Amino acid sequence: MAAKPKYLTIANQLEQDILIHKYQKQLPHLDQLALIYQTSKVTIVKALSFLQYKGIIKTVRGHGTIILTATEIELAKKDNANEHVGFTERIKNSEFLTSNIISFDLREPTEKEAAFLKIGKSEQVYDIIRQRLLNDFPVRLEYTIMPVKVIPGITKAVLEKSIYGYIENTLQLKVGRANRTFRADKSDAYDQLYLKCAKTDPVFEVEQVCFLSSGLPFEYSQTRNRYDQGELTLNQV
Amino acid sequence: MAAKPKYLTIANQLEQDILIHKYQKQLPHLDQLALIYQTSKVTIVKALSFLQYKGIIKTVRGHGTIILTATEIELAKKDNANEHVGFTERIKNSEFLTSNIISFDLREPTEKEAAFLKIGKSEQVYDIIRQRLLNDFPVRLEYTIMPVKVIPGITKAVLEKSIYGYIENTLQLKVGRANRTFRADKSDAYDQLYLKCAKTDPVFEVEQVCFLSSGLPFEYSQTRNRYDQGELTLNQV
DNA sequence: GAGTGGTCTAGACCACTAG
DNA sequence: TAGTGGTCTAGACCACTCC
């Protein structure tokens, strides 16, 4: 018995069929698909709504289910919004991402940080600055603030590995939602030093607040990306 | 009879109830909600999955439906990814957005443009450069390329009003998906001139390809935002 | 094991598109 | 008006969490 729900199995099968051009511009009718997959209409609808979400098809009420053009499907796959989730820790395929800890302190939060993390002014936070290198070339500078109360026991050893791994495996906490803001900014002296960028080079900044699945904020961070090493692509309706 | 499907009506009602703290940390069980709203369980599930998508609740199989913290809900509402859809034309509440046409020409596309727009090298395109001002202050510089064949009849009068309005109302075409890439870049001489920014100021660039609902690409554009006037916020899981 | 969310069915009916 | 996608029901059963 497949662990996957039937509608996902059907969605994946349909996706394959679309990719090999088994269907041309349109899929068969819902009833026909229900017959083909020996299932009910509602299940087919669910499968199709998943494919629509993925940017592969488009349903038009009263008309039919249209397969998007190859160009649209191709671009939809460039969407990397989810790769920025846990951006701090994500390692891309076979690339060599390393950390260089620039500083690691304990202190009280600023007013802004306390507000973002919903903590009192006297509750201590870790103040972590890390340089991230991709194949030995600096790509990001990360300023991370975390409340000690929420994420206890961070050490240099943890920072050198993965904070997220520590949170999920050692502390057995689950990471939930995140809120990220992307913007351009001027580079400052630290950027120039640690990103090896010119004085006139901008940086691509990602400011984020991350929550545990319990709803507790556990990280406020600012990531300064070399402007030639970070961009975000979205596919939208 | 409400034009809205029942599950949306229920979702909106539940959202209101959550906002006025009618429920504390958790919603009633599915069966209970089905009873309350005199509907079937599946409809309730659909309503909840919509609220989950909106970032208001979180369903946990085997446990219940949890209301996210006020902080999370608040941040979820800052997501402005969809405001960047039709960014070129969207006018914010009661703000005064105007256009200043810097140039408007017809020419053949570059190789890159032809590739993005899926047209031949000899098919003419409009080449439009517009400065956008918010309350008389320059905020964006837009470079827009459109194939004449796809969007015929563009004039300066159209540009001064709204290209999207012309496409949808006059040409009766429907706008479909868009693919956008956000990045930081150095400002160039034009940015400095038309965005009134300093030589060292960066710009926040949005590069996009837009499609008609038919799947035909109709616009390739690069929008250069003053770095203090444009940012993108996403809320993710 | 009790409780709760998720999936699935078969069929009715609604809403929209297009000729 | 015919064809097609969307919603809805009532109830069965599955999958997961927590005690």
Side-chain angles (χ1 to χ4, degrees), chain B residues 120-220:
Chain B
K121 284 184 190 176
S122 57
E123 297 189 55
Q124 289 214 308
V125 295
Y126 300 105
D127 178 328
I128 302 159
I129 306 180
R130 285 187 297 178
Q131 178 193 38
R132 309 303 295 256
L133 305 98
L134 193 62
N135 303 323
D136 288 327
F137 190 81
V139 289
R140 317 199 285 267
L141 184 57
E142 299 180 353
Y143 298 86
T144 308
I145 308 294
M146 291 180 160
V148 177
K149 198 180 60 175
V150 180
I151 311 292
I154 297 256
T155 61
K156 282 207 171 186
V158 168
L159 295 187
E160 266 149 11
K161 285 187 198 169
S162 157
I163 298 183
Y164 277 69
Y166 175 75
I167 291 172
E168 298 201 311
N169 303 326
T170 308
L171 296 182
Q172 296 280 339
L173 297 172
K174 279 186 184 166
V175 173
R177 307 183 71 84
N179 187 276
R180 301 187 165 72
T181 298
F182 302 81
R183 62 173 75 88
D185 196 8
K186 296 185 204 185
S187 60
D188 60 25
Y190 292 102
D191 298 323
Q192 288 147 26
L193 176 60
Y194 291 110
L195 296 177
K196 287 191 183 162
C197 68
K199 279 201 175 182
T200 54
D201 283 357
V203 293
F204 186 52
E205 183 182 88
V206 186
E207 180 182 23
Q208 68 178 7
V209 185
C210 297
F211 297 83
L212 295 176
S213 66
S214 66
L216 217 56
F218 76 93
E219 175 188 306
Y220 169 69

Side-chain angles (χ1 to χ4, degrees), chain A residues 5-7 38-43 46 60-63:
Chain A
K6 194 188 276 194
Y7 76 92
Q38 285 294 300
T39 186
S40 70
K41 195 177 155 185
V42 185
T43 302
K46 225 170 164 182
V60 184
R61 203 195 186 87
H63 179 62

Side-chain angles (χ1 to χ4, degrees), chain B residues 77-138:
Chain B
K77 295 199 168 152
K78 291 200 178 158
D79 191 307
N80 69 351
N82 288 322
E83 288 171 26
H84 279 263
V85 173
F87 193 64
T88 338
E89 299 301 333
R90 193 159 302 266
I91 293 169
K92 296 204 185 141
N93 305 333
S94 74
E95 283 180 323
F96 189 53
L97 184 67
T98 52
S99 294
N100 172 26
I101 302 168
I102 293 167
S103 75
F104 177 34
D105 297 299
L106 279 179
R107 62 167 172 81
E108 292 184 349
T110 63
E111 207 149 325
K112 186 183 174 188
E113 290 161 357
F116 272 119
L117 294 171
K118 302 285 164 187
I119 57 175
K121 284 184 190 176
S122 57
E123 297 189 55
Q124 289 214 308
V125 295
Y126 300 105
D127 178 328
I128 302 159
I129 306 180
R130 285 187 297 178
Q131 178 193 38
R132 309 303 295 256
L133 305 98
L134 193 62
N135 303 323
D136 288 327
F137 190 81

Side-chain angles (χ1 to χ4, degrees), chain A residues 1-13 34 37-40 43-44 46-47:
Chain A
M1 186 76 79
K4 269 196 249 183
K6 194 188 276 194
Y7 76 92
L8 278 182
T9 313
I10 295 173
N12 291 334
Q13 183 58 55
Y37 287 101
Q38 285 294 300
T39 186
S40 70
T43 302
I44 296 294
K46 225 170 164 182

